[in-house]
Amino acid sequence: MPATSFSCSFLALQPRFNSYVNPIFRSLTFQLYSSPLPFNAHFSSIRLRCSLSRPAETNSTTGGRSGALTPGPTVGGDVQKIDVNPPKGTRDFPPEDMRLRNWLFNHFKEVSRLYGFEEVDYPVLESEALFTRKAGEEIKDQLYCFEDRGNRRVALRPELTPSLARLVIQKGKSVSLPIKWFTVGQCWRYERMTRGRRREHYQWNMDIIGVPGVMAEAELISSVVTLFKRIGITESDVGFKVSSRKVLQEVLNCYSVPEYLFGKVCVIIDKIEKIPVDEIKKELKAVGLSQEAVQKLLHVLSVKSLAELEERLGSSGEALADLKLLFSLAEKIGFSKWLQFDASVVRGLAYYTGIVFEGFDREGKLRAICGGGRYDNLFSTFGADDIAACGFGFGDAVIVELLKEKGLLPELNLHIDNIVCALDEDLQGCAAMVANILREKGHSVELVLESKPLKWVFKRAARVNAERLVLVGNSEWQRGVVGVKILSTAEQYEVKLDDLK
C-alpha cells in the first residue's frame, strides 16, 4: 500500500511553546496511508495514523544524527521550483559585488594593520545568553535565536563585542594588556529594513582592552578617519557626533534616579532622532523618572557645545574633563574638524559607560555609518573582573551607500595577467603546461579549456581585461616557443618556454 509521510519538528518553535512539550515527544510524524484509488473516488479505504516518536537518534556508526525531516512529496513527478532570491534582508555576492566587498575589507584590514591591531574572529553561532544579559535593549527582540538539537539556546551573533569579551575572559592572563584586536565579521539582526540597514551585514570592529585613558578613544576615532581618507571621504562629507554617558549619569544623579535605570534610560534616549519628543517623554516617565528630571535631562541633551555643557553641569565633572581632553587630542592628531559635540548621543547598547561617538553623513540622508565608545563594565556582566575597554563597529552597508551617493565607488573590473589558448585541440595539454609555468611564477592565468576560434578568444581576453595572450601553435611548439601578444599595444613576439616570464 503506497504511503506518503512527512515529519515536523517543534525544536525551532518559540521557547514558551516548547515548555509545554515533553522533549521525548518533540518529533511528531503523520503517515497517510491510502489505497491506489484515484482522489475523486470514495475515501472509505483511507485511514490516518498519527504516531508520537522520540527525536532522531544519533547514528552510532558515523557519529552523525539522522535527519528529522523527510522530503515533501512531488506532485505528478514535477519538482517544485525554488525561490531564486536570497531570504529577505540578506544578500548574494556575485563577482562584481564580491570585488567591491574585498576592496572595502582590504581597507579595513590595512588600516587596522597601520594602527598595530591583530586580527581575530569568533563563531557566527553563539550562546543566546551572551546577548541577553542586559535588560531593555532593542537587540534582544532582534535576535535570530533557536534551540539546537542538544536543547541549547543559541543565536546568530547580532554584534561582535560580547564575543570579544568572552574570548578575552577565556584567554585570561595568557594575553598581556593592552589588547588591540580587530575583526571583520558577519552579523544578524531581525529588524526593519531601511536604506543601508539589512538583516545580515558585515562589520569591522576595532577594540582596545586595558587602557583607561581617553587616548584609546582618540586612537580609535583616528583610525576611522584614516579609513575615510583612504576611500575618498572628507570632513565635509562625514563627521563624528561625540558625547559621554557620564553626562547622562550626572543629570540622573541630581534627581536620585536609581543606577539600575541607567541602561533603560540610555536605550530610550538613543531613539531621540527616531521618534517624537513626546514619545520620549512618555517612555522616560514610564521607567520611573519624574517630570522635573525628564525636563532637565532633555534640556541638557539639547546642548551642542562643550562651553554650554560646562554652563549647565559645572566644570568639575568627569564627563566634561574627558570630552575636553578628547577634543584637545583631536586637535594635536589632526582630526578635530571631523568632531562635533552632541549631548544627545548615547548609543543604544546598555554596556557603554563613558565617551560615545557616531559617524554620520553631513547631508543627513543615511543612518549612522559607525559607532562606538567606552564599555568599562561589560566584563562583570559575564562574571569576570571588569577591564577598561573601548571599541567601535563599522558596517559595510551604509558606507557603500555613501560612496554611491558621492560618486566614489571604485571601478573594480576583473583583471587577468594572461590568457592562454591552444590553436589545435591536440595541444590542449601543452597549453595547460604553459599556464602552469606562468602560475608558478605568480601570474594569474585563464586557460581556454575548449577548442575555440580566435575571435572568441579575443573577446574573452577583452572581457577579463587580460594583459597578454599566449598562443600555443603546432609549428611554434615544435621549435620550443610560444606566441605572445601584448593586448594593449598589439605587440607580438615569440618566447622560448624557458624564458617565459
Side-chain angles (χ1 to χ4, degrees), residues 251-252 255 257 289-298:
V251 175
L252 296 181
Y255 292 90
V257 176
L289 269 66
S290 67
Q291 175 72 24
E292 188 180 2
V294 170
Q295 292 294 345
K296 174 68 173 179
L297 181 59
L298 293 178

Side-chain angles (χ1 to χ4, degrees), residues 41 48 60 80 140 145 191 214 275 280 289 304 315 317-318 346 357 365 385 394 397 404 496 500-501:
L48 176 68
S60 60
Q80 183 179 0
K140 289 180 65 177
C145 54
E191 59 182 340
V214 176
I275 63 176
I280 297 289
L289 269 66
K304 302 297 181 186
S315 58
E318 286 185 21
V346 295
F357 54 88
K365 294 181 179 179
D385 293 334
F394 189 118
K404 287 179 184 176
K496 291 182 179 180
L500 192 59
K501 296 178 181 180

Side-chain angles (χ1 to χ4, degrees), residues 234-250:
T234 70
E235 68 267 24
S236 62
D237 302 316
V238 165
F240 290 88
K241 295 178 181 179
V242 180
S243 188
S244 172
R245 282 277 181 100
K246 293 176 183 178
V247 171
L248 187 61
Q249 187 69 70
E250 288 179 23

Side-chain angles (χ1 to χ4, degrees), residues 371-382:
R374 180 159 292 277
Y375 52 92
D376 288 348
N377 298 338
L378 177 62
F379 291 84
S380 61
T381 66
F382 300 121

Side-chain angles (χ1 to χ4, degrees), residues 124-420:
V124 174
L125 189 68
E126 289 273 21
S127 166
E128 182 184 42
L130 195 64
F131 307 106
T132 57
R133 288 178 171 265
K134 283 287 187 180
E137 292 184 330
E138 185 182 36
I139 200 170
K140 289 180 65 177
D141 300 322
Q142 298 172 349
L143 285 179
Y144 277 91
C145 54
F146 56 95
E147 189 175 280
D148 69 10
R149 291 188 175 188
N151 300 328
R152 295 171 289 259
R153 294 297 305 173
V154 292
L156 297 177
R157 63 188 182 197
E159 55 160 332
L160 297 165
T161 307
S163 296
L164 165 80
R166 177 185 56 72
L167 183 56
V168 171
I169 293 169
Q170 178 201 116
K171 300 297 286 184
K173 293 183 179 179
S174 65
V175 291
S176 59
L177 300 179
I179 295 169
K180 294 171 65 179
W181 287 352
F182 84 94
T183 189
V184 181
Q186 190 179 35
C187 299
W188 298 79
R189 292 192 190 189
Y190 192 89
E191 59 182 340
R192 185 176 64 86
M193 291 179 295
T194 57
R195 185 183 179 194
R197 182 192 295 264
R198 297 183 175 91
R199 289 174 179 167
E200 64 83 25
H201 70 281
Y202 286 85
Q203 190 164 297
W204 171 41
N205 274 37
M206 290 177 69
D207 294 87
I208 299 175
I209 313 296
V211 177
V214 176
M215 190 67 205
E217 286 93 327
E219 183 83 337
L220 291 172
I221 297 174
S222 175
S223 68
V224 182
V225 170
T226 299
L227 181 279
F228 284 138
K229 289 179 178 178
R230 286 176 64 95
I231 61 178
I233 299 293
T234 70
E235 68 267 24
S236 62
D237 302 316
V238 165
F240 290 88
K241 295 178 181 179
V242 180
S243 188
S244 172
R245 282 277 181 100
K246 293 176 183 178
V247 171
L248 187 61
Q249 187 69 70
E250 288 179 23
V251 175
L252 296 181
N253 288 343
C254 291
Y255 292 90
S256 303
V257 176
E259 188 174 341
Y260 71 88
L261 290 179
F262 181 67
K264 293 182 179 180
V265 172
C266 288
V267 171
I268 296 168
I269 296 302
D270 189 52
K271 305 174 188 176
I272 207 161
E273 292 184 352
K274 305 169 190 174
I275 63 176
V277 175
D278 288 342
E279 290 298 317
I280 297 289
K281 291 179 180 178
K282 286 180 184 178
E283 291 193 26
L284 290 172
K285 290 176 184 176
V287 298
L289 269 66
S290 67
Q291 175 72 24
E292 188 180 2
V294 170
Q295 292 294 345
K296 174 68 173 179
L297 181 59
L298 293 178
H299 190 51
V300 170
L301 293 177
S302 66
V303 171
K304 302 297 181 186
S305 74
L306 290 180
E308 191 178 355
L309 181 68
E310 187 169 2
E311 289 178 11
R312 302 281 174 87
L313 296 182
S315 58
S316 59
E318 286 185 21
L320 186 65
D322 288 348
L323 289 163
K324 281 185 173 180
L325 178 56
L326 177 62
F327 277 80
S328 173
L329 289 168
E331 188 71 38
K332 291 180 174 66
I333 298 169
F335 62 87
S336 60
K337 292 180 180 179
W338 296 74
L339 301 189
Q340 68 180 55
F341 175 72
D342 186 335
S344 68
V345 174
V346 295
R347 304 291 296 158
L349 295 170
Y351 52 66
Y352 287 117
T353 56
I355 285 176
V356 285
F357 54 88
E358 285 185 356
F360 69 100
D361 80 293
R362 295 194 184 271
E363 292 185 3
K365 294 181 179 179
L366 301 168
R367 62 187 291 259
I369 302 167
C370 61
R374 180 159 292 277
Y375 52 92
D376 288 348
N377 298 338
L378 177 62
F379 291 84
S380 61
T381 66
F382 300 121
D385 293 334
D386 278 325
I387 312 173
C390 60
F392 69 78
F394 189 118
D396 69 319
V398 179
I399 189 61
V400 169
E401 291 297 322
L402 181 62
L403 290 170
K404 287 179 184 176
E405 190 79 29
K406 302 296 180 182
L408 294 172
L409 280 179
E411 286 193 21
L412 300 167
N413 298 315
L414 176 61
H415 175 82
I416 297 291
D417 296 332
N418 302 275
I419 186 165
V420 176

Side-chain angles (χ1 to χ4, degrees), residues 1-12:
M1 193 179 299
T4 301
S5 68
F6 65 94
S7 301
C8 62
S9 171
F10 290 105
L11 292 178

